[in-house]
Structures are given as structure tokens and as C-alpha cells.
Amino acid sequence: MTTALITGITGQDGSYLAELLEHRGYTVHGTVRRHQQVTPTRHLCDLTDTASVDKVVDEVRPDEIYHLGAQTHVGESFKSPIATFDATGAATLRLLEAVRRIAPQARFYQAATSELFGISPAPQSESTPFHPRSPYGVAKLAAYWAVVNYREAYGLHASNGILFNHESPRRGAGFVTRKISLAVAAIKRGDADTVTLGNLDARRDWGFAPEYVDGMHRILQHAPGDYILATGTSYSVRDFAEHAFAAADLDWADHVRTAEAQQRPADVPDLVGDSSRARDELGWVPTIHTPELARIMVTADMAA
Ligand code: F7E
């Protein structure tokens, strides 16, 4: 039986990935941050504490590690850049060190991100130069190169999945898609009338999270390397709002407001991923694009 360790198992991706791996016959362990969540397969672990990271790798002795745990809110990273660097950048190095010393045969997946590309022009591929635009992006860039370095220096089976935005009804309420889908449901119920957003012109390549966790698993079954997972389509925040409100027979323009306070000191204008390598080498092909994604999320929030 294959044993997997997932950091960030309580998050959107961690929860979908745990379900997928259990379905495929894995024994799945995960790290959690609160005592109340501890079970035989849920281990208390602080990713900013080296001894705690060593302990979980030693206890689980995983065959595959999916490192998804991080401070993942880009806007928040401007307010706490150093804590973000520790939890999102240095934590990856802690885990790689633990793998190198304790479980060097383990396959390692790093949740890299399209935020690495920042203002590099779209479409972005694995050979596009990186130019991050936030403390989050900078921390993820350090983590990306740590993975490459441990692969080259120590021969670890370590890979980066450079995932473009991926959403679902399990997405945290602080991200723009879920903020919008929750607002649509609240407006439809009559509990609210407007939602206040920031930069409506930002363009993202939004896919459906369950398809992306399947991509993560495929990456670890392959020779180690760095892969983009993306749909190859681009929509603005305004487009997403339009589709989400239309799914509830509402007009976005009647309900969306903007405010300076929601803007970031620096934003990423336009992300569109070229995932040809993943398609050709892993057979990974996403099927759900932004209009359907918006409908799925709004439908789920209206039913809840
Ligand atoms: O913002 C704009 C905002 O917070 C998307 C994380 O999972 O994906 C995510 O990062 C865009 C930005 O995601 C609001 O300025 C406008 O341009 O949903 P988001 P993100 O920053 O793209 C990547 C791949 C990750 O790796 C990250 O961990 O939407 N925007 N108005 C807004 N964003 C938010 N959150 N709230 C607004 O009101």
C-alpha cells in the first residue's frame, strides 16, 4: 500500500487530493494545525518549526509527499510578508531537508503557482521568465528553486506543479471567485444587495480544483520535473462576476461596487497558462472552463 503525506490537507486542494488518493487505495496522512484535529492519520505539525516537520516525516515515512500547506492569500502577504516567507518559502526548505535526511526515496510535490510569473506577458509556459509581484510570489519562487536544487544536488524525486488559479465550492471565502459566488447567493436570498471588489481588469486562467489534484498525482507518477497545469483560457474578474451573476439570473452591474481598499500594492495583470507539456507527457487535459466553473460555484452556494 502506498502512503502519502499531504501538508495543508484541510484546504481546498488537500481535501480533494485526500479523497482522490484514498479512492486510489493510498493510506493518506495529513498535517493539521490544531490539537482537536489530531487522529491516527492527522498529525499536528507547524511548518515553521523544523523539529515538528522532521517529526511528521519520521512518523509517517511517506512514499509520496504533497506539500500544499502555505499562507496562500496574495493580498494578505503584503500585510505579513515575513510570516508569509516563513510559512510559504522556508517551510518548503524545511520539508526538503527532512526528506533528504529521513526519507530520501519519497517523491515530493511542491505546490508552485502562476504567481511566479507575475508581470511576464501571457501566455506563460515552463520557459517563461519569472517576475513575482507579491511577498507570496517571492516566497513561492524561493520554494520553486529549492525543489529544483534538491533534485539536482541530491537526486530527490522532487517536482513543481506550477498551477494556475483553480477554484471550487470549497475555495476559501477570501479569494475573488468564492467571494463573488457567496455574494451572489446572499443577494439572491435577499441578505445583501452589493459586493465590493478591487481590480476588475485582472485576468486569470481559472480551472476546476478536482481536475488539478488529479494533475498533481500524475506529476508524481512521472519522472521528476516542473509542469504547468492551466486551462489556456483567460477571463477578467469582471467576466467572472458577469457569469456568476448570470447563473442566478442577475445582472452583475446592478450589484458590483469597487473600492480602492480592495486593491493590492502591486497586482498580476494577465495569467494564461500553456499546459502543453502536462498534456503531452502526463495526458492531463482540463475540461471545465470559467463560465461553467462560475455556474458550479454559484449553484453550490445557492443550495447551501
Ligand atoms: O485574486 C483580484 C485580485 O485572491 C484574483 C491563490 O490561490 O491563485 C490565487 O491567487 C484576482 C487578483 O487569487 C478582489 O487583485 C479583485 O488580481 O482570487 P485571488 P490570486 O491572487 O490570483 C494563485 C494561483 C495562488 O497561488 C494563490 O495562492 O482578483 N480581485 N477584487 C480580488 N481578489 C480578492 N481576493 N478579493 C477581491 O475583492
Side-chain angles (χ1 to χ4, degrees), residues 61-281:
R61 299 280 171 155
D63 301 299
E64 297 180 6
I65 299 176
Y66 296 86
H67 178 39
L68 314 181
Q71 194 299 97
T72 62
H73 293 264
V74 176
E76 280 301 310
S77 77
F78 288 98
K79 294 173 193 149
S80 46
I82 295 164
T84 298
F85 197 85
D86 207 12
T88 305
T92 304
L93 198 51
R94 278 185 199 100
L95 202 44
L96 285 166
E97 262 298 278
V99 172
R100 180 181 74 79
R101 288 185 290 103
I102 302 166
Q105 302 309 318
R107 297 183 171 204
F108 186 89
Y109 173 90
Q110 160 66 12
T113 161
S114 50
E115 286 295 299
L116 300 180
F117 296 117
I119 50 170
S120 270
Q124 293 91 6
S125 74
E126 288 86 356
S127 54
T128 299
F130 297 133
H131 188 145
R133 293 274 283 173
S134 64
Y136 170 81
V138 170
K140 281 286 188 182
L141 187 58
Y144 171 93
W145 283 116
V147 167
V148 174
N149 181 235
Y150 273 58
R151 187 168 71 220
E152 293 175 355
Y154 305 115
L156 294 192
H157 190 295
S159 297
N160 285 293
I162 307 171
L163 272 54
F164 283 58
N165 298 54
H166 45 285
E167 321 290 311
S168 74
R170 297 185 194 173
R171 189 59 145 147
F175 299 95
V176 76
T177 54
R178 189 79 197 287
K179 183 173 171 182
I180 293 170
S181 68
L182 284 167
V184 170
I187 291 166
K188 197 69 181 174
R189 281 196 313 270
D191 291 343
D193 189 42
T194 59
V195 58
T196 303
L197 303 176
N199 179 8
L200 299 183
D201 296 323
R203 301 186 73 85
R204 288 291 183 277
D205 179 336
W206 282 293
F208 187 42
E211 298 192 316
Y212 286 60
V213 301
D214 170 62
M216 295 176 187
H217 182 243
R218 286 172 191 251
I219 288 172
L220 280 205
Q221 309 320 304
H222 201 265
D226 309 311
Y227 293 91
I228 283 180
L229 301 185
T231 71
T233 63
S234 158
Y235 293 85
S236 67
V237 171
R238 187 182 290 100
D239 295 333
F240 188 93
E242 190 172 340
H243 286 293
F245 278 92
D249 298 318
L250 296 168
D251 184 346
W252 75 278
D254 295 337
H255 302 282
V256 173
R257 305 286 177 266
T258 56
E260 197 66 31
Q262 305 293 329
Q263 303 259 355
R264 295 170 185 177
D267 205 355
V268 170
D270 189 12
L271 293 173
V272 190
D274 173 356
S275 59
S276 312
R277 180 180 290 173
R279 190 190 55 225
D280 296 346
E281 295 183 21

